[in-house]
Each structure stands twice: as structure tokens, then as C-alpha cells.
């Protein structure tokens, strides 16, 4: 299969899988929002943002390193995969202990701690699943990644809606979602072992040391991204309360669906760029230039359309309790437009070994976001 055909096939398959998953996720979010209201959505979003900070330890850039190196060393990455899985499990235990200490210092009540633990469990499972996705992606077989993504979201919708139908409160719903994540993890292990490599965690200290060193630039990017994404919720919770977090996160949840296109395109093109970076510089430049143009052509119509129909979309999905999410959606839609090409820039810099300057640029952006959040919120 030619490079272009393979790239288009992977992008289409992965986008279709992610789109199906996002639609399922939107259905779940809509029912969840109506069941628990803005305050419940705010509690869930706050817990997710706080857990994401502690999950920085096991999510320390390992997956991007895995895709790049396994794509370059086809058939020779089993040891790398095993040590990354082992490192994630060990670091997850450390992260959980740190979260308990933090919760004790902050004197969170028992219900809040229970929610944090349940969300943390889903976070760990999600982290391991992302490693399995990366294994599949490194072999440029995105149809399997799409399968895993859709299966996980089907499980989340089935278990989530069942919990809502049974009248469970927020903690019960989150517990049901955690069970769904565990089932998705087991299915992911089965698919990966059967079709690609034998996945089993291992900790070889000498190998882990090398992995940490190689993953450092990618880890910094993960830290920057997590801080950038989650600072908003944490700052809003502190200064405006959980209801405001609910309004904000509801709008942002929908906007992330629009980022599906550049995100999936990046996932499809990243292993290709990694391979071309060491074999064909001219093809690399051509792939980047054409991709930039196409993404920009798609982004602006989406921005204009999203701005014009924002009120209908918000009220249809969430209901009248989320009127305040409309203005947030209208402002943030333009961030999405410029993020389209931003994804490609990041993928290209990482694939060509320029992750350090990219990390510096992202760090400046994240730091600016923290200061602006603090002073404006």
C-alpha cells in the first residue's frame, strides 16, 4: 500500500472510531449532566483535573516515546513495551499514595476521597490503555486502535446509563464507569497479545533508566499539556465554585469533539513522520506542507459554524441549566481553530527529534495560562 493510501486509510479508520466514541461519550455526558446537574458535573470535572495532576507520574511521556521507537525498530520493541508497562504500574502506586497525602492535608471529606479514588482507578486503567493504543499505532494498524476505542466507550455508555437508570448518585455512576474501564483494559490486552506483541509488565532497572532519560522531553510535554488543560478547572473551582466548573467543563467537553480531526490525523501521521525523518527528508517536507494546508482549510468553516449554532447545541445536549455554557463555547471555538495546525506542528517536531524546543514553547504557553487563569478568574 502506498504511503498516501496508508495514511488516508489510517486517518479515516481512526477518525471514524474516535468519532463514534465521541458521539457515545456525548450521549453519556448529556444524561449525566441532566442526572447530577452543574454541581455534580463540576465535582466530577474537578476530581478528573486533580487526578490528572497526580497521573503525571505514570504518564511521563512514555507512550510518545514508544510510538516513535517501535515505529523505527519494527519487531524489536517488546522489551521497551514491557518496561514502560512495569514503570507505569509502579508509578501509579506512588501517585496514589501522594494523592492520599494531599487529600489528608486538604482535609477532604470521605465522599470527595471516594470520588477521587474511583476517578484515579479509571485514570490508571486509561493510562495502560493508552500504552496499548500506542503499541497498535506504532505498527500503523489504526483499525485495531479504533476497535479498542469504540469498545471502551460502548462499555462506558452501557454501564454509565445503567447506573443513571438505577438512580445511583454521582459516586455510584463513577464506580460503574470504573468497572467499564477495567473490562476495556482486559479486551485491550487480549487484542494486543493476539495481533501484535506479548504485553507483560517488567521492571529492568537499567532499561528503565534509559527509558526515563529518553522520555524526559516527552514527559515535560505531558506535564505542560496536563497543566494547560486542567488549570482552568482547578482555578475556577477555587475562585468560582463547583457550579461554574460544571458550566465551563460542559462547553469544553463538546469542544474536544471538534479536536478529533487534527488529533486523529496526528496519530496517523506521527509514525510516518518518524520513519521519513530518518529516510526521506523531501517526502517529510511535502507531507508536512500539504497536511498544514488541508487542516487549515477544514478548521475555519468549523469555527464559524460552531459559533453560529452554539446556543442550539448547548441547550439541546445539556438543557436550560447550562445557559452559561453558551458564551464559553463561543469564545473557546476559536482556540479550537488554531489548535488544528498546532497538533501537526507538535507531531512534526517530536517526530524529527526536536521535542526540546517544542517543550520550551509549550511550557511558556502553559505558564502564561496559569497566570492568566489566576488573575482573570
Amino acid at each position: 500500500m502506498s504511503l498516501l493510501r496508508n495514511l488516508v486509510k489510517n486517518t479515516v479508520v481512526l477518525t471514524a472510531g474516535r468519532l463514534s466514541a465521541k458521539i457515545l461519550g456525548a450521549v453519556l455526558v448529556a444524561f449525566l449532566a441532566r442526572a447530577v446537574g452543574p454541581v455534580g458535573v463540576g465535582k466530577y470535572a474537578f476530581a478528573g483535573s486533580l487526578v490528572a495532576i497526580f497521573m503525571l507520574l505514570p504518564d511521563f511521556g512514555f507512550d510518545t516515546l514508544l510510538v516513535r521507537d517501535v515505529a523505527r525498530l519494527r519487531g524489536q520493541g517488546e522489551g521497551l513495551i514491557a518496561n514502560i508497562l512495569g514503570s507505569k504500574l509502579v508509578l501509579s502506586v506512588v501517585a496514589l499514595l501522594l494523592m492520599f497525602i494531599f487529600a489528608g492535608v486538604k482535609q477532604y471529606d470521605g465522599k470527595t476521597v471516594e470520588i477521587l479514588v474511583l476517578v484515579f482507578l479509571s485514570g490508571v486503567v486509561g493510562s495502560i490503555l493508552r500504552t496499548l493504543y500506542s503499541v497498535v499505532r506504532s505498527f500503523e494498524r489504526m483499525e485495531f486502535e479504533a476497535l479498542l476505542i469504540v469498545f471502551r466507550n460502548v462499555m462506558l455508555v452501557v454501564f454509565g446509563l445503567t447506573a443513571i437508570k438505577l438512580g445511583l448518585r454521582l459516586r455510584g455512576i463513577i464506580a460503574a464507569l470504573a468497572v467499564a474501564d477495567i473490562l476495556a483494559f482486559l479486551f485491550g490486552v487480549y487484542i494486543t497479545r493476539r495481533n501484535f506483541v506479548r504485553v507483560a509488565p517488567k521492571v529492568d532497572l537499567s532499561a528503565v533508566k534509559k527509558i526515563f532519560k529518553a522520555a524526559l522531553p516527552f514527559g515535560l510535554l505531558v506535564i505542560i499539556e496536563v497543566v494547560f488543560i486542567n488549570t482552568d478547572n482547578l482555578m475556577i473551582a477555587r475562585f468560582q465554585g463547583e457550579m461554574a466548573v460544571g458550566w465551563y467543563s460542559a462547553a469544553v467537553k463538546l469542544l474536544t469533539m471538534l479536536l478529533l480531526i487534527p488529533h486523529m490525523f496526528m496519530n496517523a501521521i506521527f509514525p510516518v513522520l518518524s520513519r521519513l525523518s530518518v529516510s526521506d527528508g523531501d517526502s517529510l517536507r511535502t507531507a508536512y506542507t500539504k497536511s498544514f494546508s488541508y487542516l487549515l482549510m477544514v478548521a475555519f468553516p468549523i469555527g464559524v459554524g460552531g459559533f453560529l449554532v452554539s446556543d442550539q447545541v448547548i441547550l439541546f445536549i445539556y438543557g436550560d441549566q447550562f445557559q452559561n455554557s453558551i458564551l464559553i463555547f463561543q469564545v473557546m471555538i476559536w482556540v479550537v481553530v488554531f489548535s488544528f495546525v498546532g497538533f501537526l506542528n507538535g507531531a512534526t517536531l517530536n517526530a524529527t527529534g526536536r521535542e526540546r524546543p517544542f517543550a520550551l514553547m509549550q511550557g511558556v504557553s502553559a505558564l502564561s495560562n496559569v497566570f492568566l487563569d489566576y488573575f482573570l478568574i
Side-chain angles (χ1 to χ4, degrees), residues 48-104:
S49 293
L50 187 59
V51 166
I53 299 298
F54 291 99
M55 284 300 297
L56 284 171
L57 277 175
D59 277 340
F60 192 69
F62 299 128
D63 296 331
T64 305
L65 175 69
L66 188 153
V67 174
R68 188 187 70 179
D69 287 1
V70 175
R72 292 175 175 177
L73 306 170
R74 288 291 176 82
Q76 304 177 38
E78 192 167 322
L80 175 64
I81 297 166
N83 278 288
I84 285 177
L85 288 172
S87 298
K88 281 196 170 192
L89 291 175
V90 172
L91 291 172
S92 294
V93 174
V94 175
L96 179 61
L97 294 175
L98 290 175
M99 191 179 75
F100 275 128
I101 293 172
F102 180 83

Side-chain angles (χ1 to χ4, degrees), residues 125-146:
V125 173
S127 179
I128 301 299
L129 274 172
R130 284 190 292 275
T131 298
L132 300 182
Y133 298 162
S134 297
V135 172
V136 174
R137 195 178 307 152
S138 66
F139 285 88
E140 299 177 34
R141 297 290 304 278
M142 276 57 172
E143 63 270 23
F144 285 98
E145 182 175 352

Side-chain angles (χ1 to χ4, degrees), residues 219-330:
L220 293 175
L221 286 171
V222 171
I223 292 172
I224 292 165
E225 180 182 4
V226 169
V227 170
F228 187 85
I229 292 174
N230 294 285
T231 298
D232 299 350
N233 283 339
L234 297 176
M235 290 284 190
I236 293 171
R238 178 179 178 182
F239 295 116
Q240 300 291 335
E242 291 171 339
M243 184 172 289
V245 177
W247 291 327
Y248 179 80
S249 62
V252 171
K253 188 74 174 179
L254 293 182
L255 289 167
T256 58
M257 294 183 65
L258 298 176
L259 290 174
L260 175 68
I261 297 172
H263 187 70
M264 293 305 97
F265 186 80
M266 180 199 69
N267 288 342
I269 203 172
F270 182 64
V272 176
L273 294 175
S274 297
R275 185 157 39 83
L276 292 177
S277 70
V278 295
S279 63
D280 191 344
D282 290 337
S283 295
L284 174 65
R285 283 187 288 272
T286 300
Y288 171 81
T289 302
K290 290 186 176 180
S291 299
F292 189 97
S293 300
Y294 296 150
L295 287 171
L296 204 57
M297 289 169 60
V298 172
F300 275 98
I302 288 177
V304 174
F307 182 86
L308 293 176
V309 302
S310 56
D311 53 343
Q312 295 99 312
V313 171
I314 292 292
L315 296 181
F316 174 76
I317 294 176
Y318 295 119
D320 293 337
Q321 296 182 80
F322 289 84
Q323 284 270 0
N324 289 338
S325 298
I326 297 172
L327 180 59
I328 298 169
F329 188 95
Q330 291 174 334

